Amino acid sequence: MPPPTTFRRRAARALVAAALVARPSPAAADEGAAPKVHVLHLAADDRDDRRALPLTKALEGALLRRTNAQFVNTNKALLAMLREARCGQGLAEAALDANRTLDASSGRALDGACLGRVAAAVGAPLGAAQAFAWGWLYRDGAELRVELRLWQRGRPERRASLAVDETAFERTAERLWRHLFEGEGVGDLHVSAEGSRGELYVGGEHQGPFAGAAELTLPAGPATVELLDKGRLVARGAAEIAAGRTQALTLEPARADEPAPCRGAPAAPPPADDGRGARSPWPWVALGVGGLGLAGAGALFLAREGARGDLDETCAGACPPRAQGDIDRSNRYGTLSAVSLGVGVAGVGLGTFLLWRDGQGRGAGAARAGAPPAGLPLAGVREGGPFVGWRGAF
């Protein structure tokens, strides 16, 4: 069995080597996991530029509520990404030229190679995006339409084209995502009730405002549609939704003595995007750096102990001149270990704080969206060694 000093020296060298070669590597893609989807701001020409942003925000909010996809907040625009990727100039030129307009064929300028380059620009600087949604607004006569496409690495592109309901962007956004993610299992329903207004519900779920007519996209199967006005049942109807088909339903007026169903207040639209709508990658980056720092600190501490063990063998009484190298090495490892410990503690502290703030940002209301954090973690190295603490108001 090797002596303790030799064992410590071997362990220190092994840990130092492991710390030096360690590199964060992307986790293997889970085929069953919900895709992480970036949503690019929709492109539009001068006529409809003011409608592109609210519809984009509605798309982000609707995607955030889905369980079969993860919304990644990039806050990037399609036209800006095309400029970075240096492709798709046909769509960009038409959108930016005051004398030209977009149409249903504008997206043909973006082929597979161009979209791959766009994915790299979308995900920068953390790596190419694995999935992103892009699209544009255009006019078909007087009707405003949206073309939305979902690019996913290694999979066929999906697309959906719908008329835009300018009175309910959230409803249009939900319909688009249903077509993209559940295209084979949904159908469209045209609901009408001439002269009636109120809030529309399907199976008890709020579908937005209603004024005479509305278009819905619903899962295949039976659907009960109700129209309420100030809590009073105005009209109702039922339909059997067929996948891949468009059907019409005219609501029948409710009887005066028919009790209104118990419905909660319509869900408020998602708050204005403040950049905290999605899980940020930075907490995990900070935690990763912190973990490497702590691992490095441990390895360097063992290396220092190994160097001191060599000195114990060499310096029985007074240290000879040849021991100066071991002394310098021991001091250097001690300093680097303290610095690495400070970096590790700071990284873990910052990552934990960012995770906490991310959770607070998701749960806070709009009134508290701009509130400053209560405090900040502190860590570093000073004369007495590494330290960690907290600064702020309580």
Side-chain angles (χ1 to χ4, degrees):
M1 179 176 180
T5 300
T6 304
F7 176 78
R8 287 202 305 269
R9 189 159 55 241
R10 289 178 181 175
R13 288 170 182 168
L15 282 174
V16 169
L20 291 176
V21 301
R23 294 290 186 272
S25 59
D30 184 354
E31 292 297 331
K36 296 181 179 180
V37 181
H38 302 248
V39 179
L40 298 183
H41 286 211
L42 298 171
D45 54 39
D46 283 351
R47 290 184 302 175
D48 300 307
D49 188 55
R50 289 179 297 177
R51 297 168 178 82
L53 182 58
L55 182 53
T56 299
K57 294 305 177 185
L59 284 167
E60 293 176 348
L63 183 59
L64 186 61
R65 294 189 294 270
R66 299 192 70 83
T67 58
N68 58 347
Q70 300 179 57
F71 166 48
V72 181
N73 188 5
T74 59
N75 199 30
K76 297 179 180 179
L78 173 60
L79 298 183
M81 294 301 95
L82 292 178
R83 184 167 58 251
E84 285 194 30
R86 298 183 181 180
C87 62
Q89 295 307 302
L91 185 150
E93 290 170 1
L96 298 174
D97 188 341
N99 298 316
R100 299 173 62 184
T101 58
L102 297 176
D103 58 31
S105 64
S106 296
R108 293 176 184 172
L110 279 68
D111 57 14
C114 177
L115 292 173
R117 294 166 65 177
V118 171
V122 169
L126 300 178
Q130 296 302 305
F132 66 90
W134 63 280
W136 67 98
L137 298 175
Y138 66 95
R139 292 277 174 177
D140 184 4
E143 184 179 61
L144 177 64
R145 297 187 64 83
V146 57
E147 177 91 10
L148 186 67
R149 301 190 181 182
L150 177 64
W151 181 91
Q152 298 183 88
R153 186 174 301 280
R155 298 183 181 181
E157 189 179 35
R158 303 178 186 179
R159 63 183 66 186
S161 178
L162 294 175
V164 177
D165 186 345
E166 298 186 50
T167 66
F169 285 121
E170 291 78 14
R171 184 159 58 215
T172 301
E174 180 61 30
R175 294 185 64 204
L176 287 165
W177 289 127
R178 283 184 170 175
H179 276 288
L180 288 180
F181 285 109
E182 308 158 31
E184 297 180 354
V186 299
D188 292 324
L189 183 66
H190 177 81
V191 180
S192 61
E194 187 175 354
S196 298
R197 305 176 67 89
E199 299 293 328
L200 203 61
Y201 290 83
V202 175
E205 294 185 5
H206 185 239
Q207 303 293 321
F210 179 88
E215 297 282 345
L216 303 175
T217 298
L218 302 170
T224 300
V225 183
E226 298 168 323
L227 178 63
L228 277 69
D229 183 20
K230 298 178 181 178
R232 182 177 63 89
L233 182 62
V234 175
R236 72 188 328 166
E240 184 73 23
I241 307 301
R245 292 181 55 189
T246 300
Q247 300 164 256
L249 172 65
T250 301
L251 300 181
E252 298 293 334
R255 300 191 313 270
D257 60 345
E258 187 170 0
C262 182
R263 298 282 180 256
D273 181 20
D274 63 355
R276 295 181 296 179
R279 293 286 185 189
S280 168
W282 294 115
W284 306 109
V285 173
L287 288 173
V289 171
L292 288 175
L294 293 177
L300 291 166
F301 176 78
L302 287 178
R304 173 176 173 270
E305 290 299 298
R308 292 185 66 177
D310 292 340
L311 287 173
D312 290 341
E313 295 176 356
T314 305
C315 302
C319 291
R322 61 185 176 84
Q324 187 61 44
D326 290 336
I327 295 173
D328 293 340
R329 188 168 71 255
S330 175
N331 292 336
R332 182 166 60 252
Y333 285 151
T335 301
L336 292 175
S337 176
V339 172
S340 185
L341 177 62
V343 171
V345 171
V348 172
L350 179 59
T352 303
F353 167 71
L354 291 176
L355 282 176
W356 170 81
R357 190 179 67 173
D358 192 30
Q360 291 292 102
R362 284 171 167 263
R368 298 181 56 193
L376 291 172
L378 297 176
V381 179
R382 54 191 176 196
E383 185 176 356
F387 70 93
V388 62
W390 186 273
R391 180 180 65 189
F394 297 88

